[in-house]
Amino acid sequence: MEWVRGETIGHGTFSTVSLATPTNNAYGAFPQVMAVKSADSHGAASLANEKWVLDILGNDCDGLVRCLGEDRTVENGEEMHNLFLEYASRGSLASHLKKLNGEGLPESTVRRHTGSVLRGLRHIHAKGFAHCDLKLGNILLFGDGAVKIADFGLAKRAGEVTALMDGGVQIRGTPLYMAPESVNDNEYGSEADVWALGCAVVEMFSGKTAWSFKEGSHFMSLLIRIGVGDELPRIPEDLSEQGRDFLSKCFVKDPKKRWTAEMLLNHPFVAVDLDQDDLEGVDIQLKTEEVFASPRCPFEFSSWVSASCDSGTQYHTLEAPEERVATLAAGSIPDWSVTNNWVTVR
Ligand SMILES: Nc1ncnc2c1ncn2[C@@H]1O[C@H](COP(=O)(O)OP(=O)(O)OP(=O)(O)O)[C@@H](O)[C@H]1O
């Protein structure tokens, strides 16, 4: 494929991401706009790892960004490694949240995004991998409302332990999302992804990181809080009881007792399908008495009632019309995909 590099849309530790347009797109084999992740020799290993993992994971899971191929180019005398990915036109959840100036997303949106990320995680874990760098910057928003996990540069086979000669802490990903077992024993398995998901859910909902951490303080103090003692990440008080219960299953210090992505997909926090297409005339009223007590082990799942929908009751927490217009005026992209609060204008 011949292609032209467009504007830069993102920077990472290992790479630069820009738009790419194919110039000889015979038979429409490629989308008209793609994202191309490019790295010089320093980032080549991470990019090669990402391609290897994405090839094994395949393109059949809706929760993962799709890989469209790879290429090498020489630009300004330097060899560049390029990985083509489907383009997420709404950017990452991190950049989306930044536009909300410290505010979080409505809980209904957080539930939907969490469900999508969990489906991606379940697929990654079922294939025997751990992502190892789940964070809002690596969760992408697509124009059609899809939410997908990206950036597999640090992903590895679950159970593969990287031995450290000096016995120190190996930081894979972002300290703020690190699980206790990663801090204490350098373990980065599927369980650590679930801990990181909990941190991402807190941040999506509250607009603030799950660990309060003063800018400028040494990250070792944070690692000590994560790894030693009983302190857990902050669970927002204004989150629903189901949301808080969901987080309590992610923030279990012992990785063996932490819930898996598969188990969490059956938790009522995400098991209710709030997709726009499902809203009309469907009963979404949760049978709270029945689902309130969450299962303590996988065998109790069968007694849960899948929530059903009713267009009247669940959406009253969304913003009023005035607030929604204000969000628009502020230049951020509002999420109105789930609401029954529309005003008829004639
Ligand atoms: N497919 C894509 N579509 C749109 N934007 C993207 C895409 N992939 C990456 N980006 C943007 O580029 C940024 C950096 O990408 P990515 O995280 O994959 O790079 P990285 O070098 O692995 O970064 P790091 O490891 O530091 O997180 C993302 O946060 C996102 O804003």
Side-chain angles (χ1 to χ4, degrees):
M1 173 189 58
E2 283 169 25
W3 57 283
V4 179
R5 189 183 294 283
E7 67 170 286
T8 301
I9 52 174
H11 288 283
T13 320
F14 305 107
S15 66
T16 300
V17 181
S18 35
L19 292 177
T21 318
T23 50
N24 63 339
N25 197 10
Y27 312 114
F30 296 94
Q32 276 312 309
V33 185
M34 298 178 289
V36 60
K37 190 167 172 177
S38 303
D40 57 19
S41 55
H42 301 293
S46 162
L47 218 57
N49 186 62
E50 179 155 13
K51 172 80 170 68
W52 173 70
V53 175
L54 282 170
D55 281 350
I56 296 176
L57 295 180
N59 275 344
D60 58 345
C61 175
D62 288 344
L64 307 184
V65 72
R66 287 192 168 83
C67 177
L68 305 167
E70 66 180 331
D71 186 24
R72 283 190 195 192
T73 47
V74 177
E75 297 173 38
N76 302 321
E78 192 158 22
E79 183 173 47
M80 300 299 289
H81 302 249
N82 305 299
L83 188 65
F84 299 106
L85 302 163
E86 57 178 337
Y87 169 52
S89 61
R90 293 173 66 199
S92 72
L93 261 177
S95 57
H96 183 54
L97 230 69
K98 230 177 237 165
K99 293 180 204 150
L100 302 180
N101 297 321
E103 291 293 309
L105 299 171
E107 182 168 330
S108 54
T109 308
V110 174
R111 286 175 183 239
R112 263 186 302 120
H113 290 352
T114 305
S116 304
V117 174
L118 269 174
R119 282 186 283 281
L121 276 186
R122 174 176 58 185
H123 184 81
I124 296 169
H125 298 165
K127 293 273 182 182
F129 282 89
H131 183 278
C132 300
D133 195 14
L134 190 70
K135 59 182 179 183
L136 295 193
N138 289 336
I139 301 173
L140 301 182
L141 296 168
F142 286 73
D144 62 358
V147 170
K148 305 189 183 193
I149 302 175
D151 190 3
F152 291 81
L154 292 175
K156 64 172 194 62
R157 289 233 182 250
E160 208 173 80
V161 179
T162 320
L164 289 184
M165 304 301 280
D166 59 0
V169 182
Q170 182 202 34
I171 311 264
R172 270 179 107 92
T174 314
L176 276 166
Y177 287 73
M178 272 175 88
E181 70 273 16
S182 310
V183 172
N184 294 332
D185 303 309
N186 292 319
E187 278 176 26
Y188 290 87
S190 54
E191 301 90 349
D193 285 344
V194 169
W195 180 282
L197 170 75
C199 296
V201 170
V202 172
E203 209 169 323
M204 261 191 270
F205 179 74
S206 65
K208 291 164 193 71
T209 54
W211 291 100
S212 56
F213 185 64
K214 282 201 198 91
E215 215 156 294
S217 36
H218 198 278
F219 75 89
M220 275 312 281
S221 64
L222 172 67
L223 295 186
I224 290 166
R225 282 167 70 199
I226 298 172
V228 183
D230 294 331
E231 190 182 351
L232 291 171
R234 189 179 49 89
I235 295 184
E237 275 167 21
D238 47 344
L239 188 61
S240 68
E241 181 113 21
Q242 288 175 351
R244 294 202 302 276
D245 187 75
F246 179 93
L247 288 174
S248 74
K249 308 297 189 241
C250 301
F251 297 143
V252 177
K253 286 233 168 192
D254 181 349
K256 292 194 196 77
K257 295 190 179 139
R258 199 172 301 147
W259 280 28
T260 63
E262 178 78 54
M263 289 160 77
L264 288 168
L265 270 166
N266 287 307
H267 192 283
F269 183 61
V270 293
V272 188
D273 192 354
L274 292 174
D275 275 348
Q276 200 172 13
D277 294 343
D278 299 327
L279 294 182
E280 296 256 335
V282 191
D283 178 3
I284 60 150
Q285 178 130 44
L286 282 167
K287 298 189 176 168
T288 38
E289 300 85 352
E290 285 155 304
V291 295
F292 213 65
S294 62
R296 281 152 299 175
C297 72
F299 305 110
E300 290 184 15
F301 273 110
S302 56
S303 63
W304 282 22
V305 177
S306 302
S308 43
C309 287
D310 169 7
S311 53
T313 41
Q314 274 292 306
Y315 307 128
H316 59 275
T317 52
L318 293 178
E319 312 103 302
E322 299 78 19
E323 287 173 68
R324 296 203 302 251
V325 172
T327 324
L328 240 199
S332 52
I333 305 168
D335 190 327
W336 297 343
S337 53
V338 185
T339 180
N340 71 339
N341 208 9
W342 294 100
V343 176
T344 309
V345 179
R346 296 180 203 281

